Amino acid sequence: MIENEKKSALEEIREMEEKKKKTENPKKDYWLAKGIVVKVVTKRLGEKYYKRKGVIKEVHDLYTGFVKMIDSGTTIKVDQMHVETVIPAEGKQVLILNGVHRGCKATLLSLDSDKYCVSVKLDSGPVKGRTVNGVQYEDISKLAQ
């Protein structure tokens, strides 16, 4: 019986933490994170990088980072305005970049292309194992393997 009381207290703490996160403004205007795959969406960095994918190797400040291009191996400094997130195939791992579960790893379960959102199952964080629906495309990105 004592074990059940401890478990329910733990659940209560988790719920309180989640409510606290929801009441604070969880959306940030910066989202770059080490280890995610991004796609270059500007020609300013050169034609050879345009529409090419790379992995964030280091976040320099909140809005810029160093990307190692997948095809050439070249490392370039980018502003987050010049790259976009990459949505992987279902079953692949992603990192949540914004919102209540920011920083949590998750597995992509399904895509809703009409609403530009996905469903994920959290692999880390205080509510590990929970399925989260309606996560916007720009709030997740593929994790580099």
Side-chain angles (χ1 to χ4, degrees):
M1 186 165 180
I2 294 171
E3 198 171 303
N4 286 343
E5 289 176 17
K6 286 182 184 177
K7 187 176 179 182
S8 63
L10 180 61
E11 285 298 315
E12 190 174 312
I13 291 169
R14 284 182 178 169
E15 287 174 14
M16 286 172 40
E17 286 295 316
E18 195 165 343
K19 283 180 185 176
K20 182 180 173 186
K21 280 184 176 182
K22 284 182 181 178
T23 57
E24 297 169 3
N25 185 4
K27 279 276 198 182
K28 308 281 187 208
D29 64 345
Y30 54 91
W31 53 266
L32 288 180
K34 185 177 179 177
I36 62 168
V37 179
V38 294
K39 184 177 180 180
V40 176
V41 294
T42 184
K43 292 182 182 178
R44 281 185 173 177
L45 302 171
E47 277 294 325
K48 63 183 177 182
Y49 302 121
Y50 182 59
K51 292 193 176 182
R52 301 272 189 236
K53 293 179 184 174
V55 178
I56 302 283
K57 290 297 178 185
E58 181 185 336
V59 177
H60 179 66
D61 59 33
L62 295 178
Y63 303 96
T64 61
F66 294 95
V67 176
K68 183 174 183 181
M69 302 310 291
I70 292 171
D71 55 355
S72 68
T74 309
T75 300
I76 59 173
K77 185 176 180 181
V78 299
D79 187 281
Q80 75 176 15
M81 291 180 2
H82 299 139
V83 293
E84 69 181 10
T85 60
V86 173
I87 308 301
E90 291 177 7
K92 299 289 183 182
Q93 212 174 32
V94 297
L95 183 68
I96 300 178
L97 304 172
N98 233 328
V100 176
H101 303 291
R102 181 186 182 106
C104 293
K105 292 180 181 178
T107 302
L108 183 64
L109 299 176
S110 64
L111 291 139
D112 185 344
S113 56
D114 294 334
K115 295 181 181 173
Y116 302 103
C117 64
V118 297
S119 293
V120 296
K121 181 178 181 183
L122 299 174
D123 297 334
S124 65
V127 288
K128 180 180 176 179
R130 178 178 289 175
T131 298
V132 181
N133 299 312
V135 180
Q136 297 298 307
Y137 284 173
E138 64 268 13
D139 292 341
I140 65 159
S141 196
K142 178 180 180 178
L143 271 171
Q145 298 300 328

